[in-house]
Amino acid sequence: MGNLWNGAWIASLVIGAFVWGLIFWVMFRYRRRNNTEVPRQSRYNLPMELLYTVVPFLIIGVLFFFTVQSQNAVLAKVNDRPVHTINVIGQKWSWSFNYMEQQNPAVNAVVHDTGTVERLPYLYLPVNEPVRFNLASADVIHSFWIPEFYFKLDVIPGHPNSFDVTPNRTGEFLGKCAELCGTYHSAMLFKVRVVSLDEYNAHLKQLAASGQTGELTPPAWPNSVPSPPTDAEHAPAEEHDR
């Protein structure tokens, strides 16, 4: 993602310098030299028209190619069974994190942490360990964004998303929702702590000791609006029999 960003800026600067160069060259080369001079009138210029039609498509095509390439690389799964799995739930207006560590002998349980508007949740990640995020929404569309990852992914009700990441440096970072999701959207923040594997396991055991075990799950039909009853539901019993 960083290479794509830097490459796009370099391409933009090159194109911008070229366009500004043309503008200044035309301003200088074809400036009026006296008050009686009238420039030669041209009705069509086929090469010029082809140029300013084809070149933008080429630019867009190149940027599209590298964007898709980067996107596929970012969304590629590390392996079929990642070392760690965290099921993330976005809800109005905070986050819940389910650490699926039942196969981890140091934890041997599924533990969770959930935040509120008043309390920011902490997302713990082990450094240099592959982690798979499974994203689900409990109500409306959110967007899971940790700016240091250079990446964000929508959290869509009824449409789970997932991606893999391997944090490569320790520290504390800020996460947030990048999709306007309602009244307290600005409160949908969380802290990310990338720590050693021992610290990660210790934190999860602390959650388990405090009773935060088991997986929190979103409703099967998030944010659903009740449908009006069908005619069949109002029909007499004999009509159902027929």
Side-chain angles (χ1 to χ4, degrees):
M1 294 299 289
N3 292 338
L4 175 65
W5 177 257
N6 292 333
W9 270 107
I10 292 170
S12 299
L13 290 172
V14 170
I15 294 167
F18 176 70
V19 171
W20 279 104
L22 286 177
I23 291 172
F24 285 116
W25 179 75
V26 169
M27 289 169 58
F28 175 79
R29 173 66 179 81
Y30 298 103
R31 71 190 186 280
R32 174 180 286 186
R33 290 174 172 79
N34 58 67
N35 292 333
T36 61
E37 182 181 7
V38 177
R40 182 171 61 89
Q41 303 300 301
S42 298
R43 188 170 183 181
Y44 298 107
N45 190 316
L46 186 58
M48 183 67 72
E49 292 171 9
L50 287 174
L51 181 69
Y52 64 62
T53 301
V54 172
V55 169
F57 277 101
L58 291 176
I59 295 170
I60 293 169
V62 171
L63 292 175
F64 178 78
F65 171 79
F66 285 107
T67 298
V68 171
Q69 200 174 53
S70 298
Q71 177 179 288
N72 291 342
V74 169
L75 292 176
K77 297 296 186 285
V78 175
N79 49 50
D80 292 336
R81 301 185 66 181
V83 177
H84 304 280
T85 299
I86 301 176
N87 293 344
V88 178
I89 302 173
Q91 72 266 349
K92 297 187 293 187
W93 280 277
S94 193
W95 301 89
S96 297
F97 304 118
N98 295 286
Y99 299 89
M100 314 302 289
E101 297 290 344
Q102 62 271 37
Q103 303 299 325
N104 182 351
V107 182
N108 199 32
V110 175
V111 298
H112 64 260
D113 190 16
T114 189
T116 65
V117 173
E118 294 81 16
R119 173 189 170 272
L120 299 186
Y122 279 86
L123 172 62
Y124 274 70
L125 300 175
V127 68
N128 296 323
E129 295 273 315
V131 179
R132 175 164 299 169
F133 290 101
N134 296 319
L135 311 178
S137 172
D139 34 59
V140 298
I141 296 177
H142 303 283
S143 187
F144 184 76
W145 185 28
I146 301 172
E148 275 72 15
F149 286 2
Y150 290 179
F151 178 73
K152 58 186 175 183
L153 192 61
D154 282 347
V155 185
I156 303 172
H159 183 82
N161 276 330
S162 70
F163 70 98
D164 291 2
V165 68
T166 302
N168 57 14
R169 61 187 173 96
T170 58
E172 183 168 303
F173 312 100
L174 183 65
K176 58 185 70 179
C177 175
E179 182 79 25
L180 182 59
C181 56
T183 307
Y184 297 104
H185 160 72
S186 60
M188 284 199 66
L189 305 173
F190 59 95
K191 296 287 186 67
V192 182
R193 283 182 176 168
V194 181
V195 297
S196 67
L197 182 59
D198 289 340
E199 291 178 85
Y200 173 77
N201 289 332
H203 173 69
L204 298 193
K205 285 191 284 189
Q206 184 179 358
L207 292 178
S210 64
Q212 294 171 245
T213 57
E215 181 183 1
L216 302 176
T217 57
W221 301 98
N223 204 40
S224 58
V225 178
S227 302
T230 62
D231 293 339
E233 291 175 299
H234 286 299
E238 59 271 15
E239 290 189 24
H240 283 287
D241 295 336
R242 292 204 299 270

